[in-house]
Amino acid sequence: MMSDARASEHTSAAASSAPLSISSTNVLPFLDISPDALVIVNPAGTIVMVNRQTEAVFGYARTELLGQQLELLLPQRLRAVHIDHREQYFSSPHTRPMGIGLKLVGRRKDGTEFPVEISLNPLLLDDVLHVIGAVRDMTAQRIAEHEHLQQLEQIRLQAELINLAHDAILVRDPVSRVISWNKGAEELYGWTVQEAQGRVTHSLLKTRFPSSRADVDAHLEHEGKWEGELTHTRRDGSSVIVESRQMLVRDEEGHTIAILEINRDITERRHLEQTEQVVHAETVARLAFLQQVIDALPSSVYLVYGTDARLLLANRAASSVWGAEWQVDQPMLEFLTRNGIEITDAQGRPLPPSQFATLRGVQRGETVLQQQELIRRPGGSSLPVLVNAVALPAQRRWSGPLQETEQQMPVGEAMALVMHQDVTALKEAEYLKDEFVGIVAHELRTPLAALKGFADMLLVQTARGRGVALAEWQQEALEEIELATTRLVKLTEELLDVTHLQAGRLHLQRTPTNMVPLAQRVVTLLQQTTTRHRLEVRTTQPELLADIDPGRIEQVLTNLIGNAIKYSPQGGPVTITIWEETAARIVGISVQDRGIGIPRRQHAQIFGRFMRADNAQAWGISGTGLGLYICRELVERHGGLLWFESEEDAGSTFFVTLPLVSARQGDHEVPS
Ligand code: ADP
């Protein structure tokens, strides 16, 4: 009863023999030695003896306890049951050791309850059967037990967490034998925890180190941790690349006790990176090759993207065409303005940017073929070019090095491939041809005028009875000569106009002109040439001032009304309508006939040079195919438009619009 060990020794001894017999005087001095509260009760359940520890544990003074029922030390609710238990015990007393799993509760004097463990021993005190109970306050132990359980639970959760991880988490001892191996490791390597346990990781996984195992071990030893890539072999023989983090755990004396290791599978990531590198290298090589190919081309070639046509790629010839270096990523208009480059149409008229072949390609996705443009370069020189712009489908992804820099093609932007063909030589040849035609036409004028003049004279004077009368065949021959020379004169005039238009040497003498009398004049003149046609001018306005070159517009109307007559061989009405479009500040003129019309399939070409419709030739109507070309050029140079509607065998209507004189201009100038 001196200590737990001795007490249990004692009680087990007592269990097999008769109860210990002792006198009350002998027992007293020993009771206080016990760390437990000792209470001796008689068969009536009265406390006859307690030790000092009992006083401390229950908060009663010894005198308050002696003579009291043992149940005083129990909570009220348990007392009745306890009395039964006690009486039963006295009827067959035996040794009951502590910690047999009963949840026992004690009650202090202040009413508070606390967990206890009790061992019971029968005892013959002064030859009377008593029971000595050792009561141990279990409060601290229960708290400790509870904490211990909590710790265990925490460890269990942590272990589950470790198992939940996809990473392989393992612990190995200082000689690299597996101590712990989570589910992630099982899944990654294919070895179960039972199979892996105790195996040396480096041979189990055939580890391949970045440099050497010694290096990694040395680093671990020195730094306490290591991070890097390892290649392992799975159970099925396949390789896996892992990102490994390792940490050394040491005991208090600094000896290594374990190495914690977390390995993450990065095989796929590495493969993707490698593939990407290969693809990238291929793209770079392909682009470099492409660059070489396009550099070898004599024509300028460049690739632009985005609606502002930023440069992506250009060949060497492009720089010489522009006469300046277009920087990668620079928008086209910025490049042009910075370098003072202008783009005009073939005749040198300013071209709005929306009409540039390049911008049409990227902004409207159009494919522009053979557009004539003139590039005025920084030095002042001009270069006539034929531009082909091919709209390309927006790229999903594009990357490549350009001029040593890495260029990332923005996804989903419009692209266009543009080629310039220098047509200086062609232009020169054309110029020479026009010059030649111009000279010939010019030189033909005088002899033709003489021919026509003399033929006219012969016819007129003979008709007046001057000289001898002509035979019929002579008269006919002269009329033929007169007709042919008239046609020749017209042809030379038209050829001269065409060459002047081509060379940009046709200048307009604009003046505010009343369109109504002008049209009327032309109609009156032409009406004299025909009896089968009825020419009529319709208008509600007596005066419509247009800002035009009257000579040139007269030429246009003469041509259109002349055609209306010419291409209505069976006669009929020819209606000229003049109206004003106030809002648009234009005057409109239409010339309508009921003639042979123009076949639909030839509508698109009819304004071309030397272009004649099949039906006109079939009807045997003579012409040069130059008139409409000249008319459209003249009208457009006035800022107007010329177009037509026509149906074969039903007739045609040609429409002209011309700018009206602005209010102020009209106020100050006199109409012609
Ligand atoms: P030309 O009359 O000298 O042939 P144009 O340039 O004036 O040349 O006209 C071109 C062609 O357009 C004509 O050859 C003819 O086929 C067609 N054309 C022009 N005007 C008319 C019209 N009013 N009706 C039918 N066809 C026409």
Side-chain angles (χ1 to χ4, degrees):
M1 307 223 4
M2 308 304 149
S3 67
D4 273 353
R6 285 185 61 184
S8 64
E9 232 172 64
H10 201 91
T11 49
S12 52
S16 55
S17 57
L20 187 70
S21 174
I22 201 158
S23 77
S24 51
T25 41
N26 283 349
V27 77
L28 253 171
F30 295 107
L31 287 184
D32 286 340
I33 298 169
S34 165
D36 296 328
L38 298 177
V39 182
I40 301 176
V41 290
N42 65 14
T46 311
I47 301 170
V48 295
M49 224 173 259
V50 294
N51 67 349
R52 231 181 256 139
Q53 194 57 23
T54 310
E55 292 176 289
V57 169
F58 288 94
Y60 288 102
R62 191 185 298 238
T63 47
E64 289 174 298
L65 290 172
L66 296 179
Q68 295 294 327
Q69 282 300 100
L70 174 62
E71 282 69 32
L72 178 69
L73 301 179
L74 265 70
Q76 183 70 45
R77 61 181 189 284
L78 302 175
R79 284 178 187 168
V81 185
H82 192 263
I83 292 169
D84 284 352
H85 282 180
R86 173 165 55 76
E87 282 168 358
Q88 263 178 25
Y89 186 84
F90 267 98
S91 63
S92 79
H94 57 277
T95 296
R96 195 183 81 187
M98 274 191 182
I100 53 169
L102 292 179
K103 283 251 182 289
L104 302 174
V105 184
R107 180 180 181 278
R108 296 193 191 91
K109 184 181 175 183
D110 63 8
T112 53
E113 296 179 10
F114 60 103
V116 293
E117 270 192 3
I118 300 172
S119 68
L120 298 175
N121 278 286
L123 174 77
L124 283 173
L125 187 69
D126 302 331
D127 296 327
V128 180
L129 180 67
H130 280 74
V131 170
I132 178 164
V135 181
R136 189 173 295 170
D137 180 353
M138 298 299 285
T139 311
Q141 202 169 330
R142 288 284 143 78
I143 289 171
E145 274 171 17
H146 182 70
E147 279 173 359
H148 180 61
L149 280 176
Q150 273 185 331
Q151 275 170 3
L152 284 179
E153 179 62 9
Q154 221 168 332
I155 289 167
R156 191 184 65 79
L157 288 178
Q158 279 169 358
E160 266 180 32
L161 203 63
I162 285 173
N163 269 338
L164 210 62
H166 282 302
D167 295 340
I169 301 175
L170 48 133
V171 182
R172 51 192 171 92
D173 69 10
V175 289
S176 231
R177 280 180 309 224
V178 173
I179 304 174
S180 154
W181 186 258
N182 77 335
K183 279 238 166 58
E186 289 189 339
E187 281 160 15
L188 180 59
Y189 297 118
W191 300 100
T192 65
V193 62
Q194 291 80 8
E195 290 166 329
Q197 207 105 40
R199 302 275 302 269
V200 173
T201 53
H202 300 317
S203 49
L204 181 71
L205 304 174
K206 303 193 180 87
T207 314
R208 269 175 279 155
F209 296 88
S211 51
S212 70
R213 179 177 171 182
D215 279 354
V216 174
D217 286 349
H219 193 279
L220 255 177
E221 186 59 36
H222 194 252
E223 304 289 329
K225 57 186 179 185
W226 179 83
E227 278 187 34
E229 261 181 50
L230 297 174
T231 306
H232 284 145
T233 304
R234 292 195 184 91
R235 188 188 189 159
D236 64 9
S238 60
S239 285
V240 53
I241 306 169
V242 296
E243 191 176 71
S244 183
R245 293 169 140 212
Q246 307 188 358
M247 202 184 102
L248 211 66
V249 185
R250 299 179 201 269
D251 64 10
E252 278 162 10
E253 275 111 53
H255 301 303
T256 303
I257 49 171
I259 293 129
L260 311 182
E261 187 173 329
I262 299 183
N263 298 334
R264 172 165 296 179
D265 181 0
I266 54 161
T267 317
E268 203 164 324
R269 202 209 294 169
R270 276 283 165 279
H271 283 165
L272 276 177
E273 281 169 7
Q274 278 164 6
T275 323
E276 219 161 78
Q277 273 170 11
V278 171
V279 171
H280 187 256
E282 276 173 9
T283 315
V284 168
R286 243 182 256 151
L287 270 170
F289 181 65
L290 180 69
Q291 183 77 52
Q292 279 178 354
V293 170
I294 65 168
D295 273 346
L297 290 175
S299 314
S300 140
V301 178
Y302 58 87
L303 202 56
V304 286
Y305 69 94
T307 46
D308 52 356
R310 274 161 285 155
L311 186 74
L312 185 66
L313 187 74
N315 71 348
R316 266 190 228 117
S319 314
S320 47
V321 160
W322 294 118
E325 199 72 45
W326 188 351
Q327 300 301 323
V328 166
D329 260 348
Q330 191 177 30
M332 182 180 198
L333 294 183
E334 189 190 302
F335 161 66
L336 298 180
T337 355
R338 284 247 173 110
N339 294 287
I341 301 171
E342 265 180 66
I343 296 182
T344 68
D345 71 6
Q347 282 71 41
R349 289 174 294 200
L351 204 60
S354 61
Q355 293 299 313
F356 295 175
T358 306
L359 289 173
R360 281 171 66 187
V362 281
Q363 289 175 349
R364 284 181 264 161
E366 285 178 50
T367 286
V368 186
L369 298 176
Q370 309 286 67
Q371 173 160 307
Q372 291 192 39
E373 290 180 7
L374 195 71
I375 299 174
R376 281 195 210 287
R377 297 185 285 192
S381 62
S382 291
L383 189 74
V385 284
L386 270 186
V387 193
N388 286 300
V390 183
L392 300 175
Q395 291 294 306
R396 274 181 49 239
R397 185 152 181 271
W398 177 285
S399 63
L402 293 157
Q403 284 143 28
E404 309 300 322
T405 62
E406 187 114 320
Q407 169 80 3
Q408 286 291 333
M409 175 61 202
V411 176
E413 295 221 57
M415 289 176 78
L417 177 69
V418 188
M419 282 147 288
H420 281 158
Q421 194 187 335
D422 178 354
V423 288
T424 315
L426 278 178
K427 282 276 159 193
E428 267 165 17
E430 201 173 321
Y431 173 77
L432 286 178
K433 184 198 72 191
D434 284 345
E435 277 290 279
F436 172 73
V437 172
I439 291 167
V440 170
H442 192 341
E443 291 306 316
L444 277 174
R445 258 173 151 187
T446 326
L448 271 177
L451 259 180
K452 187 172 157 46
F454 285 122
D456 277 349
M457 193 176 78
L458 274 174
L459 283 169
V460 172
Q461 299 301 347
T462 312
R464 287 183 184 161
R466 301 242 180 108
V468 284
L470 294 173
E472 199 176 329
W473 65 270
Q474 287 172 321
Q475 174 80 18
E476 275 172 15
L478 268 178
E479 278 170 9
E480 279 301 318
I481 291 172
E482 205 270 346
L483 254 178
T485 46
T486 308
R487 248 185 271 147
L488 270 174
V489 168
K490 188 168 178 267
L491 176 65
T492 47
E493 291 300 334
E494 284 179 344
L495 281 174
L496 271 174
D497 278 350
V498 171
T499 50
H500 284 159
L501 281 169
Q502 289 289 312
R505 276 186 304 204
L506 194 138
H507 302 292
L508 298 179
Q509 313 282 323
R510 293 169 88 132
T511 171
T513 309
N514 187 352
M515 282 306 298
V516 183
L518 185 141
Q520 198 69 62
R521 205 162 51 236
V522 176
V523 165
T524 311
L525 266 174
L526 289 177
Q527 182 66 80
Q528 288 167 16
T529 65
T530 173
T531 48
R532 277 188 288 170
H533 302 84
R534 191 166 37 77
L535 273 58
E536 186 194 355
V537 177
R538 287 186 188 165
T539 183
T540 53
Q541 248 102 344
E543 185 179 273
L544 278 171
L545 280 188
D547 178 28
I548 54 163
D549 179 331
R552 288 302 181 183
I553 293 307
E554 201 171 309
Q555 181 184 348
V556 170
L557 288 185
T558 306
N559 212 312
L560 294 180
I561 302 169
N563 277 353
I565 296 170
K566 194 162 68 166
Y567 295 107
S568 323
Q570 279 141 343
V574 173
T575 314
I576 295 95
T577 314
I578 310 172
W579 71 94
E580 180 188 11
E581 285 182 26
T582 329
R585 303 278 326 131
I586 52 175
V587 54
I589 306 141
S590 69
V591 179
Q592 187 187 33
D593 64 59
R594 302 260 180 272
I596 62 170
I598 300 167
R600 187 154 291 276
R601 63 178 186 286
Q602 288 179 309
H603 279 197
Q605 296 102 41
I606 217 72
F607 287 104
R609 279 192 285 174
F610 303 108
M611 181 60 211
R612 304 205 64 217
D614 295 342
N615 61 343
Q617 318 216 41
W619 273 86
I621 303 168
S622 64
T624 59
L626 286 173
L628 284 184
Y629 166 79
I630 296 168
C631 287
R632 180 177 258 189
E633 285 286 326
L634 289 175
V635 170
E636 286 183 355
R637 276 176 204 216
H638 277 87
L641 291 171
L642 171 59
W643 74 100
F644 69 92
E645 287 166 5
S646 180
E647 210 169 304
E648 200 171 359
D649 300 326
S652 315
T653 308
F654 280 79
F655 299 90
V656 179
T657 60
L658 289 165
L660 276 174
V661 170
S662 64
R664 288 190 64 208
Q665 219 180 336
D667 285 347
H668 298 294
E669 297 199 35
V670 185
S672 66

